[in-house]
Amino acid sequence: MVLLEKTIAAVQPLNEEYMQRMKQRLDSLLKPVGSLGILEKIAIQLAGIMETDNPEIRKKAVVLMGGDHGVLEEGFHGYPRQVTAIMMERFAKGGAGINVLARHVGADVFPVDIGVADPYNPEGIIVRKIRPGTANMTKGPAMSREEAVKAIETGIEIAGDLIDRGYNLLATGDMGIGNTTPSSAILAVFGNYSPAIVTGAGTGLDKEGLEKKRKAIARAIEVNRPDPSDPIDVLAKVGGLEIAGLTGVILAGAARRVPVLVDGFITSAAALVAARLCPLAVNYMIPSHLSEERAHILMLKAIGLKPMLHMEMRLGEGTGAALAMSLVEAATKIPREMVTFQDVGLA
Amino acid sequence: MVLLEKTIAAVQPLNEEYMQRMKQRLDSLLKPVGSLGILEKIAIQLAGIMETDNPEIRKKAVVLMGGDHGVLEEGFHGYPRQVTAIMMERFAKGGAGINVLARHVGADVFPVDIGVADPYNPEGIIVRKIRPGTANMTKGPAMSREEAVKAIETGIEIAGDLIDRGYNLLATGDMGIGNTTPSSAILAVFGNYSPAIVTGAGTGLDKEGLEKKRKAIARAIEVNRPDPSDPIDVLAKVGGLEIAGLTGVILAGAARRVPVLVDGFITSAAALVAARLCPLAVNYMIPSHLSEERAHILMLKAIGLKPMLHMEMRLGEGTGAALAMSLVEAATKIPREMVTFQDVGLA
């Protein structure tokens, strides 16, 4: 708990002076004021995060946390649990969606086993397993409060190591068969939504599956009574290990003044927990895409984020966040490489 | 007219066989079917366009057409006409928004003077001036029918040259102070919208300016009575030279089986004209961003396109299309670089 408390305490507001200066610089450039929209907003945000007139992305990392989910026992999920372990191996070897898209934008992928249940070859994986998957949240808490804190702190440590190694743009990625279920439950609790509103098709449930999922979420909330004013309680009772770990990644980014890209529905659940633990941390988040998972827009609104990419994607793994890395880098080049009105003799 | 007619006649449907094969390939990859959304749709579209199982982007070009607008006489525009010429010089020298974003994605920028009114240093510009700006469309046709056809054919020739030189992904870009006005008029005519619905703030009009713009568009339509069933008539009477040129670029791409990215409001007007001249050409268009110009979404709907990027941008120059080039390239890498379920021993 000490590391988590220290991390939250270290999160400071953005530097307004650098943001103001960046805005002035952007307004001097050869274009109608504000006409590059979100690219300009990101440039201003990065100036405020990094406390510099010239934000530069040096090294980019996708932190891809994998964990399993006891709620799979309820039997409505489309893929067997073993797929989590198989995918973790694949992330290390390359050839999964995130490997292709991360390479496309020049980012490194760091798969982290924070709670995978099945055996696999751990070569190339950062193994920091808290426990082999959560318990079935429809019957009791997914994990203990101590485990939730430990998972968050693991995320803080891993992100901290990457930042020490020079990574200054992080993307969140998730792997965990069944993990839209806890993500929906987290949104239901924080947003006080009925399970029907937050329940979506995940990787492709039919009507019957959807109904079972909705009931499982309702039961999990009924059985556990998570307290929305206590984010750790919510995370422990109806969350997941990878979600907790990613919450830590985001908090560490915020504490160390490094921007963190939020990916789809699951990483947004982690971002929502981070926002509730530490509202200032939202300033360090950059949204990426709007997932096909139907409650994603509600989740982003609950955090206060607006997605840039509308790609109809629903793969997870950090794939949307990886695509957005190219946009964040573009944003840093606008103030650095564009000429001003003055440069071309226009007042 | 011969070149235009031949070009339209050369546009063929997409190759369904290659699209089907690409879909099969995508469905075999290690991900839930369809979960990469628009990236998969683009991969399928490119397979159908390029007639290959392995679409590759070799060289990328932004064709940036510049022209001036007689309607500026009406006095409601935010920038003086001379800015078009100043910007053209800048596109050749580098340091404008499009230069920065095109370099970011590895694309070359080709500025084309198809109708700039003021003198400037033409070094580095493809000068193919049809006339020095259009006439004031509130008093008569913006240009003659012959000039409109010549402008389209100029775009066809320029795009054809680039395709001959190995460019196989084109982006459309525009420069022309006042050119949201003809673009709105084009949308009003084709969509049978009232001028109030299609008129937006452009680079930043106030309420009074907006009202003058709306009235100018209404008057232009009243005075000229463009015939929506005759796209050349619409283009000549209430269009622009750069819009006509970009219509040609899109048609040439379609005829030569090269995908063309549509940028914001003005290039979408060109795409709408192309779609009305040749409905099959829509298959060769790839949408990029949703502009802040408020009727852009109506324009895209009229064509049948859905934007991927929601960046709140309104600069033009091809900036949104340039950002989307990275997404198109990502789409080509998915089928080429991802492993299949079979590769990892999953049926």
Side-chain angles (χ1 to χ4, degrees), chain B residues 42-93:
Chain B
I42 292 173
I44 292 168
Q45 183 184 6
L46 292 178
I49 291 175
M50 298 181 177
E51 302 188 288
T52 170
D53 292 322
N54 183 22
E56 264 188 281
I57 305 302
R58 290 187 305 269
K59 286 168 78 179
K60 302 183 284 291
V62 179
V63 187
L64 207 180
M65 295 259 178
D68 278 304
H69 297 272
V71 71
L72 248 64
E73 287 173 13
E74 299 301 303
F76 56 83
H77 293 86
Y79 290 87
R81 194 184 68 189
Q82 287 73 12
V83 170
T84 304
I86 291 167
M87 290 306 300
M88 292 303 284
E89 270 195 47
R90 183 45 52 188
F91 298 140
K93 285 184 189 156

Side-chain angles (χ1 to χ4, degrees), chain A residues 220-233:
Chain A
I221 294 172
E222 219 175 85
V223 165
N224 290 293
R225 306 217 159 271
D227 174 3
S229 70
D230 180 356
I232 307 275
D233 187 60

Side-chain angles (χ1 to χ4, degrees), chain A residues 99 111 212 323:
Chain A
N99 299 285
K212 283 186 184 167
L323 287 177

Side-chain angles (χ1 to χ4, degrees), chain A residues 41 103 306 308 312 337, chain B residues 41 103 306 312 337:
Chain A
K41 289 180 184 170
R103 182 167 52 225
K306 202 179 150 196
M308 302 184 265
E312 302 175 5
E337 300 183 15
Chain B
K41 289 180 183 170
R103 183 166 52 224
K306 201 178 152 197
E312 302 174 5
E337 300 182 15

Side-chain angles (χ1 to χ4, degrees), chain B residues 50-181:
Chain B
M50 298 181 177
E51 302 188 288
T52 170
D53 292 322
N54 183 22
E56 264 188 281
I57 305 302
R58 290 187 305 269
K59 286 168 78 179
K60 302 183 284 291
V62 179
V63 187
L64 207 180
M65 295 259 178
D68 278 304
H69 297 272
V71 71
L72 248 64
E73 287 173 13
E74 299 301 303
F76 56 83
H77 293 86
Y79 290 87
R81 194 184 68 189
Q82 287 73 12
V83 170
T84 304
I86 291 167
M87 290 306 300
M88 292 303 284
E89 270 195 47
R90 183 45 52 188
F91 298 140
K93 285 184 189 156
I98 186 57
N99 299 286
V100 175
L101 296 180
R103 183 166 52 224
H104 176 61
V105 298
D108 299 318
V109 178
F110 295 93
V112 179
D113 175 353
I114 195 160
V116 178
D118 293 283
Y120 66 96
N121 173 3
E123 209 182 310
I125 312 277
I126 302 170
V127 181
R128 296 289 302 269
K129 209 189 296 277
I130 308 295
R131 52 180 281 177
T134 55
N136 184 344
M137 68 179 186
T138 67
K139 297 181 175 166
M143 62 188 118
S144 70
R145 192 174 177 94
E146 291 65 37
E147 286 165 337
V149 170
K150 208 169 147 198
I152 297 175
E153 293 187 334
T154 299
I156 293 171
E157 286 172 5
I158 287 166
D161 285 348
L162 292 172
I163 294 166
D164 287 342
R165 289 165 59 187
Y167 290 93
N168 73 340
L169 177 62
L170 303 182
T172 49
D174 72 284
M175 179 68 224
I177 297 300
N179 64 7
T180 59
T181 304

Side-chain angles (χ1 to χ4, degrees), chain B residues 3-4 6-8 10-11 152-163 170 245-260 274 278 281 284:
Chain B
L3 178 59
L4 173 55
K6 275 172 67 176
T7 303
I8 290 173
V11 179
I152 297 175
E153 293 187 334
T154 299
I156 293 171
E157 286 172 5
I158 287 166
D161 285 348
L162 292 172
I163 294 166
L170 303 182
L246 291 166
T247 297
V249 169
I250 293 165
L251 292 174
R256 299 282 301 272
R257 306 196 82 94
V258 164
V260 185
C278 175
Y284 295 82

